[in-house]
Amino acid sequence: MPDLDVPTLPVLPLTTGVVLPSMVVTIAIETDEARAAVDAAASTGGRLLLVPRLDGRYASVGTVAQIEDAGDLRTGVRALVVRGLHRASLGGGVAGTGSALWLRAEPAESAAPTAEAERLATEYKAVLEGILNHRGAGRLVSMIEGLADPGEVADMAGYSPDLEMAQKVEVLETVDVEARLRLVLEWAKETLAELSIRDRIRQDVTDGMEKTQREYLLRQQLAAIRKELGDDEGTDDLLAGYRSKAEEPGVPDAVRTAILREVDRLERTPEQQMENGWIRTWLDTVTGLPWGVRAGDEVDVTEARAVLDADHTGLNDVKDRIVEYLAVRQRRADRVEQGLDTALPSGRGSGAIVTLVGPPGVGKTSLGESVARAMGRPFVRVALGGIRDEAEIRGHRRTYVGAMPGRIVRAIADAGAMNPVLMLDEVDKIGADWRGDPSSALLEVLDPAQNHTFRDHYLEVDLDLSDVVFIATANTIDTIPGPLFDRMEVVQLDGYTEDEKVTIARDHLLGRQLAQNGLAPEEVSIDDEALRAVVTGYTREAGVRGLERAVGKLLRKVATRLSAGELDPPVAIGADEVRTYLGRDRFTPDPADLHDVPGVATGLAVTGVGGDVLSIEVTSMPGDGGLTLTGQLGDVMKESATIALSYVRSHAAELGVPADAFEDRRFHVHVPAGAVPKDGPSAGVTMATALVSYLTGRPVAPGVGMTGEVTLQGKVLPIGGVKQKSLAAHRAGLTDVVLPVRNGPDLDDVPESVRSEVRFHLATTLADVLAVAFPPTGTEVPAAA
């Protein structure tokens, strides 16, 4: 035990506050270090050395404190009530009782206060009184006035909520009273100035509100005076304008009643009230809609087909379906006008929503524009990709600040007619969250049984959408919400052949890119062979978006050289010049992804950007006999790999696979482009073929691609997207494609130009697939069935 005559005390570290002399505070004892210091204080008469610890270091000065009381808080934590006695400089450590830290505590107090210190203390007390009065704590002023010692007055800063812990530590370490008072006085003046500014701002706001109320009363009186003098003609003209628009022909009776009711409200609402602006905005929106305005009611089917043929090359099946849709729609309208069909509230709706589904760049949006032109109607597009708020479709309720109608109403207002061709773009990318489900709101828009009384939340009047021609677009069917998909008739756009792309580039893209790059047709010409070189060497896509970019790049290079004087017009670009302007080929016409090594097979898949070619690789290594799958594969493809391995193991003998090929071997199946998610039931036969190739050491015949799902019995199941996959195989330069036999009728959809260059083999079992993949040595792939 240390000698009590020596100023040696146990140390209680403070991490969340500072105790200055004369302060009485409660301290929670939560750490082992604190509990040890309290236990050790029993041998010092209840005295402790309180030392702040900030950022891992102790202050150079502490406070000697006396324990006044001890007990437990409501939470069960032990707590002390301590009173600060005086400052102490920290000396060296000494041994003491228990595990507490003992330090020598030499008293550290300033000399007797000077007259300057007395003056500073008086000024500081005055500033503190001002702060307390601003905060409504004037009852504490008497306690401050009762302090006489300047040092105690300065240490009142320890109670200030405006000071951070670092500032309070600085007060503790400032032993000189005069310096300490100057320090806390400066901080207190800053706090008082800030509180004064806040009070002044609050008073200004209050005065402003009173001024606004006074002005409102005065304006009301002024309005009454103007009315008596007949000087309110401007308002009367506005109201008369709204009433006139409500009486225009074509405005439904219910809408007219709603407009007139709101006009009466506007007349009673003072101009200075916010509600006045809301009513006027609603009236401007409703009266701005093209009530009774119609365009292109008559459709000439022959002319419509001519417009589609002029705007688009290929896509004959799609154009046939659109013409059929227009013909049926027109005949139904004719029957309703003759009184022969009253089944629907509006006979113009055909009951089907045409949905154009296909990869980017195949012309979905431009087809919608062509339909509008063929019908003589305005075309408007509503982009739905990424929307998650139901109000985007149905509008916001008028009770919300900044409310506005939904996108459907705004599109009709932009079109200027009640029967436009309205394209709902990217319906497969609609989301949903806590704000509602936009796809559910679209059900009312697209359902012919409901959309003749569509009600926008903002308008709050019925809107007849039965005359609107809705055309939806999507990249894939899988992500279209199910209830929405039920009301759609899908028209698949699978992509273009090489010849079609050349024709599109010549007839449509070239002229547009010449104009965009400031070139005249007589200055630059590109022959078909050059365009074919661009198609085969620099693009590999289902659509023509990348092709247009490549043509634009080619023309920019030419324009730059013409401007620099390096070329003289006219400039003729042939196939040999394409590489000069565009650099090396990005894609090779031959199937470069196919390797003449065992364990690699080529499959066909459908992605969001059209058909694609997938190389599937197989290898093995010593292991537990399991299966490793890589390449961002979905659950369906993982199941396909497992089934393929099970089939090969169970038919090892008839497939020529060595009996010990599976012993203690772990197989690894990889589909390159691992960053791209892949899934779908069409890779089973490809995985099985790759496994057989690896285990037998025979490479797959060059130029062979395949698609189909396989069962455990080796049956080849049908798949979808035959046309898209066939176009992808043709683009990749494949010469032979294996399809399930039940997909044979789907070959009618494949363009003749593709069928003339690619041989299609129909497979019933996996044995049929392997016969094409592994022809006998010295022979070619067998002829197509």
Side-chain angles (χ1 to χ4, degrees):
M1 178 187 302
D3 189 349
L4 294 179
D5 294 332
V6 179
T8 303
L9 296 173
V11 175
L12 177 59
L14 302 178
T15 58
T16 59
V18 178
V19 178
L20 296 172
S22 302
M23 290 179 64
V24 178
V25 298
T26 301
I27 301 176
I29 308 303
E30 298 177 312
T31 65
D32 294 337
E33 190 177 17
R35 284 189 283 270
V38 173
D39 294 338
S43 62
T44 63
R47 292 199 172 189
L48 292 166
L49 180 59
L50 307 180
V51 184
R53 183 164 60 191
L54 186 64
D55 296 332
R57 72 168 188 86
Y58 286 93
S60 61
V61 176
T63 302
V64 176
Q66 178 69 45
I67 299 176
E68 297 287 341
D69 196 2
D72 294 333
L73 300 175
R74 292 182 178 180
T75 59
V77 177
R78 187 180 180 188
L80 302 177
V81 178
V82 299
R83 177 186 298 276
L85 300 178
H86 60 82
R87 286 174 173 77
S89 299
L90 307 184
V94 298
T97 59
S99 59
L101 172 65
W102 292 73
L103 292 178
R104 297 184 183 279
E106 295 292 342
E109 291 294 338
S110 175
T114 63
E116 177 64 13
E118 297 285 350
R119 186 191 67 77
L120 292 172
T122 302
E123 184 178 358
Y124 182 58
K125 287 195 290 183
V127 175
L128 285 181
E129 290 177 7
I131 293 175
L132 292 175
N133 287 329
H134 272 289
R135 288 183 166 155
R139 64 185 183 281
L140 300 178
V141 172
S142 58
M143 181 185 71
I144 296 175
E145 291 177 346
L147 298 177
D149 182 65
E152 291 184 8
V153 174
D155 289 338
M156 287 296 293
Y159 290 108
S160 175
D162 302 306
L163 299 183
E164 298 179 355
M165 183 174 176
Q167 293 174 303
K168 294 180 180 180
V169 170
E170 188 176 353
V171 174
L172 177 64
E173 292 179 334
T174 306
V175 178
D176 182 71
V177 175
E178 190 174 319
R180 194 188 319 154
L181 282 167
R182 286 195 176 92
L183 186 66
V184 297
L185 180 59
E186 181 183 356
W187 292 338
K189 287 180 177 178
E190 293 175 358
T191 301
L192 181 59
E194 182 179 350
L195 291 174
S196 299
I197 292 174
R198 289 181 182 176
D199 287 348
R200 185 164 64 252
I201 293 173
R202 188 181 303 111
Q203 186 62 39
D204 290 343
V205 172
T206 302
D207 293 342
M209 293 178 62
E210 293 175 354
K211 181 181 178 182
T212 301
Q213 293 174 351
R214 184 171 61 255
E215 289 179 353
Y216 171 74
L217 293 176
L218 292 174
R219 290 184 186 278
Q220 288 289 93
Q221 295 174 2
L222 181 61
I225 294 172
R226 285 180 175 174
K227 187 173 182 179
E228 290 295 327
L229 296 174
D231 195 20
D232 55 344
E233 297 179 358
T235 302
D236 288 343
D237 290 344
L238 178 67
L239 299 176
Y242 287 136
R243 290 192 174 100
S244 175
K245 291 181 179 179
E247 299 298 336
E248 289 180 355
V251 178
D253 293 339
V255 177
R256 181 180 298 108
T257 301
I259 293 175
L260 295 176
R261 182 176 62 247
E262 292 299 315
V263 172
D264 292 339
R265 285 185 60 203
L266 180 63
E267 189 174 17
R268 297 190 303 268
T269 304
E271 186 177 349
Q272 292 73 32
Q273 289 190 7
M274 286 195 305
E275 189 177 2
N276 182 285
W278 297 345
I279 297 174
R280 289 179 62 175
T281 302
W282 185 89
L283 286 170
D284 289 339
T285 301
V286 176
T287 57
L289 288 173
W291 302 106
V293 179
R294 303 174 58 82
D297 279 342
E298 298 297 328
V299 177
D300 187 330
V301 175
T302 304
E303 178 63 23
R305 181 59 189 241
V307 170
L308 293 173
D309 288 337
D311 290 349
H312 296 84
T313 299
L315 303 178
N316 291 325
D317 293 342
V318 177
K319 289 187 279 191
D320 288 343
R321 179 61 189 91
I322 291 175
V323 170
E324 293 167 4
Y325 170 80
L326 297 178
V328 170
R329 185 181 181 89
Q330 183 61 43
R331 292 185 65 83
R332 289 174 63 86
D334 293 341
R335 289 180 60 82
V336 168
E337 291 177 1
Q338 297 170 14
L340 300 177
D341 191 350
T342 58
L344 292 174
S346 174
R348 293 186 177 273
S350 69
I353 305 302
V354 173
T355 303
L356 307 177
V357 179
V362 295
K364 299 186 294 295
T365 303
S366 60
L367 270 171
E369 295 174 350
S370 297
V371 170
R373 193 157 67 90
M375 299 182 71
R377 298 189 180 190
F379 174 80
V380 284
R381 173 179 170 270
V382 175
L384 302 178
I387 69 167
R388 296 178 175 274
D389 190 352
E390 181 183 340
E392 293 285 347
I393 305 299
R394 284 204 176 104
H396 303 83
R397 298 191 182 278
R398 294 173 62 190
T399 53
Y400 293 102
V401 176
M404 63 177 63
R407 296 192 183 193
I408 304 299
V409 172
R410 286 180 299 195
I412 291 177
D414 293 341
M418 296 300 291
N419 60 341
V421 174
L422 199 156
M423 174 160 283
L424 301 172
D425 215 359
E426 297 179 329
V427 295
D428 57 330
K429 298 179 178 62
I430 298 176
D433 59 13
W434 57 271
R435 290 168 292 190
D437 183 2
S439 64
S440 298
L442 276 176
L443 296 179
E444 184 182 358
V445 174
L446 298 179
D447 193 339
Q450 304 179 51
N451 64 8
H452 63 286
T453 57
F454 172 72
R455 182 171 285 255
D456 185 275
H457 287 162
Y458 181 78
L459 298 184
E460 294 182 337
V461 295
D462 288 343
L463 192 67
D464 187 356
L465 301 180
S466 60
D467 273 352
V468 178
V469 177
F470 290 102
I471 298 179
T473 71
N475 291 135
T476 60
I477 294 176
D478 301 337
T479 52
I480 298 176
L484 198 57
F485 184 71
D486 286 343
R487 289 162 172 79
M488 295 177 172
E489 181 167 341
V490 173
V491 178
Q492 192 78 38
L493 284 75
D494 297 309
Y496 300 103
T497 64
E498 181 179 306
D499 292 336
E500 289 174 338
K501 288 184 179 181
V502 172
T503 304
I504 292 171
R506 182 188 65 232
D507 296 343
H508 302 284
L509 307 183
L510 183 56
R512 186 162 60 202
Q513 286 301 315
L514 283 170
Q516 290 184 6
N517 290 283
L519 296 170
E522 60 271 13
E523 290 181 300
V524 182
S525 63
I526 305 178
D527 62 27
D528 286 0
E529 290 305 315
L531 293 175
R532 189 176 300 276
V534 175
V535 170
T536 58
Y538 299 91
T539 65
R540 183 164 290 178
E541 57 179 346
V544 294
R545 191 169 293 167
L547 173 59
E548 184 169 9
R549 285 194 293 265
V551 172
K553 180 180 179 181
L554 179 63
L555 294 177
R556 287 196 304 272
K557 299 288 187 182
V558 174
T560 302
R561 293 196 178 187
L562 286 172
S563 298
E566 300 176 10
L567 294 175
D568 295 323
V571 178
I573 300 176
D576 295 337
E577 286 78 21
V578 169
R579 189 181 182 90
T580 303
Y581 293 109
L582 298 183
R584 63 178 180 83
D585 291 358
R586 292 184 56 198
F587 302 99
T588 55
D590 59 329
D593 289 334
L594 308 181
H595 308 290
D596 56 351
V597 295
V600 180
T602 300
L604 303 174
V606 177
T607 68
V609 294
D612 200 4
V613 174
L614 299 177
S615 292
I616 296 180
E617 303 173 346
V618 173
T619 189
S620 68
M621 66 289 293
D624 57 0
L627 181 63
T628 300
L629 303 171
T630 54
Q632 280 276 55
L633 305 184
D635 292 338
V636 176
M637 290 192 73
K638 291 177 181 178
E639 292 176 359
S640 298
T642 304
I643 293 171
L645 180 60
S646 297
Y647 175 83
V648 174
R649 292 188 66 174
S650 62
H651 296 77
E654 60 188 85
L655 294 174
V657 177
D660 58 349
F662 301 96
E663 294 182 5
D664 299 326
R665 304 291 296 179
R666 184 173 187 84
F667 288 86
H668 186 164
V669 177
H670 175 63
V671 183
V676 179
K678 294 171 282 291
D679 200 9
S682 63
V685 296
T686 313
M687 292 180 173
T689 303
L691 282 166
V692 173
S693 172
Y694 174 76
L695 292 169
T696 60
R698 293 181 295 170
V700 176
V704 174
M706 59 197 69
T707 180
E709 196 54 74
V710 66
T711 68
L712 288 174
Q713 287 75 35
K715 301 293 184 181
V716 178
L717 301 180
I719 44 83
V722 170
K723 182 179 178 181
Q724 291 176 289
K725 293 176 181 179
S726 301
L727 292 173
H730 181 257
R731 288 196 302 271
L734 298 180
T735 58
D736 294 87
V737 172
V738 182
L739 298 174
V741 68
R742 289 165 60 184
N743 285 118
D746 296 329
L747 290 175
D748 294 340
D749 299 331
V750 178
E752 179 60 33
S753 59
V754 175
R755 284 184 289 171
S756 63
E757 297 182 22
V758 178
R759 293 188 296 178
F760 291 92
H761 306 264
L762 302 181
T764 303
T765 64
L766 190 59
D768 300 331
V769 178
L770 298 179
V772 178
F774 307 110
T777 304
T779 64
E780 298 182 353
V781 174

